[in-house]
Amino acid sequence: MVNNLDAKRIIEAIEKQQKALGMTRLDLCALTGIPYATLTSCIQKNKLLRFNDLYLVSLAIGMPVDELANPPKELTNRQDNILFWQKFMPENVDRRFLLYFPDKVAIAKTIAGFAKESNPLVLFMPPKEVNKTIADLKFAIFFHMIMMDDFFSVFFQAIMAKEINAFYSVHREEEATVIDYFQTHKQMTSSLWEYPYLPVQSLWKTIDSISASKYPATSAFLKEAGINSLTYAKYLNAIKEKSSPGTETAYRVCSLLGISDIDNLIRSNLPEITETSSNPYRATGLIPHKIENPVLAENLKSLPYLAMFFDSIFSLNYSTLSDIYHQIQRVAFSPNNSVTTLSKVNVPNDPSPDNPYEYSMINPWLEADYGKDKVLMDTVK
């Protein structure tokens, strides 16, 4: 656990990681909900964001908050940092599907989980050069769909949705439109982190439990932690109270209680992926069901609709997955694997004010599916 936080070094790490991914500061604001003026002010003054905001930033840039507190000077060797997988990414892609996810740490953890069961050569060798297991196919399909150009990923999503519908016997009276597929594409990026102050509430829930087991009375813990009872209660009910501790306070309390892995601790309090959903995009690939793939179930709790889609794909047989893999692999490593390359138009990286992926309010389908969950019940009023 880090006791002394170097604000300047942390801010430099955020900007370095952000630029390595091809993200702008506006992207960070869109994904985290942090006002541009707030983020810019902290960066210019070398001032730490409050813990909840810093945690959301760590997810958006794909660097676990524990690593961000003590960032490496060189490239990371942590597999839960999305940059670890940068060397496997196809080139010439201008705007990856990856960039629209508010939780890239979850994506990195999922990739790492698949990599344990697969041959990593499957990611970058020509399709016919490597003998592939079904685990290899799943690994490559997930990786390349996430890392490819966002428009190409919609195209393959449509192809896979048709296979999912055939497998699950989903029928629709009217043919799905291009707009339907783009809406589903957007829905897959929906994250539980859209619930305000969920990280603090999740962290403080565990802090409250651990402190109760280590101290004879709450007052004894609060005295040693240097927090008054009213402030402590606000942190414990942070979703409802809209309150976040300073980052220094959060790390001091975690250090006091011997908490060393804050990111995993926060994730441990997320609800299981819903098995039933009011989500309207069944016909375009989002089928609510019990997630069977253990890697998806464990690592994508914060991205439930992405887990639904890929778990449905992974229910298909080897032959179908092999066909999908070969199509995706050929596009991923084509010199024309970018819409910008094909059109010869320079697409700006900065999101427009009406960016459809803007992080602005709780997704209505997340609210319907998770709003009454015991972890989130205080959020939706």
Side-chain angles (χ1 to χ4, degrees), residues 207-380:
I207 285 174
D208 190 59
S209 175
I210 295 176
S211 64
S213 67
K214 289 192 173 186
Y215 290 84
T218 302
S219 59
F221 166 65
L222 295 179
K223 182 177 180 180
E224 190 169 352
I227 303 174
N228 66 50
S229 58
L230 180 59
T231 300
Y232 184 80
K234 286 183 178 181
Y235 297 161
L236 187 58
N237 298 290
I239 286 181
K240 187 174 182 179
E241 299 292 340
K242 294 188 176 182
S243 178
S244 172
T247 296
E248 297 90 343
T249 298
Y251 273 90
R252 184 178 70 250
V253 172
C254 288
S255 180
L256 183 64
L257 297 176
I259 297 171
S260 59
D261 192 336
I262 295 178
D263 183 69
N264 278 333
L265 184 152
I266 290 174
R267 290 177 188 279
S268 69
N269 288 318
L270 292 178
E272 298 298 321
I273 298 171
T274 182
E275 297 180 26
T276 59
S277 174
S278 58
N279 197 292
Y281 303 118
R282 296 174 62 93
T284 48
L286 296 185
I287 309 282
H289 65 283
K290 181 176 177 58
I291 305 300
E292 297 181 356
N293 186 284
V295 175
L296 298 174
E298 178 182 355
N299 296 297
L300 289 185
K301 290 180 182 179
S302 66
L303 299 167
Y305 303 116
L306 183 71
M308 286 181 194
F309 181 80
F310 276 101
D311 194 66
S312 296
I313 285 295
F314 294 163
S315 298
L316 305 179
N317 61 34
Y318 181 95
S319 177
T320 304
L321 289 176
S322 182
D323 289 343
I324 293 171
Y325 160 78
H326 281 81
Q327 293 184 63
I328 287 180
Q329 190 85 338
R330 284 198 296 269
V331 169
F333 290 97
S334 166
N336 296 321
N337 62 3
S338 163
V339 170
T340 301
T341 302
L342 290 175
S343 64
K344 304 300 181 183
V345 174
N346 292 321
V347 178
N349 281 335
D350 290 354
S352 62
D354 59 348
N355 184 351
Y357 296 93
E358 184 179 0
Y359 179 112
S360 57
M361 60 182 291
I362 298 175
N363 182 298
W365 311 114
L366 278 174
E367 179 175 327
D369 292 340
Y370 288 92
K372 293 181 173 58
D373 187 273
K374 60 182 179 179
V375 176
L376 306 171
M377 62 186 300
D378 290 332
T379 304
V380 181

Side-chain angles (χ1 to χ4, degrees), residues 97 145 148-162 178 181-182 185 188 309 324 327-328 331 339:
F97 187 24
M145 268 287 289
M148 69 169 43
D149 186 284
D150 53 358
F151 284 96
F152 280 120
S153 65
V154 174
F155 172 76
F156 281 108
Q157 169 207 321
I159 291 176
M160 288 188 271
K162 292 180 179 179
V178 172
Y181 287 114
F182 270 98
H185 195 253
M188 285 195 284
F309 181 80
I324 293 171
Q327 293 184 63
I328 287 180
V331 169
V339 170

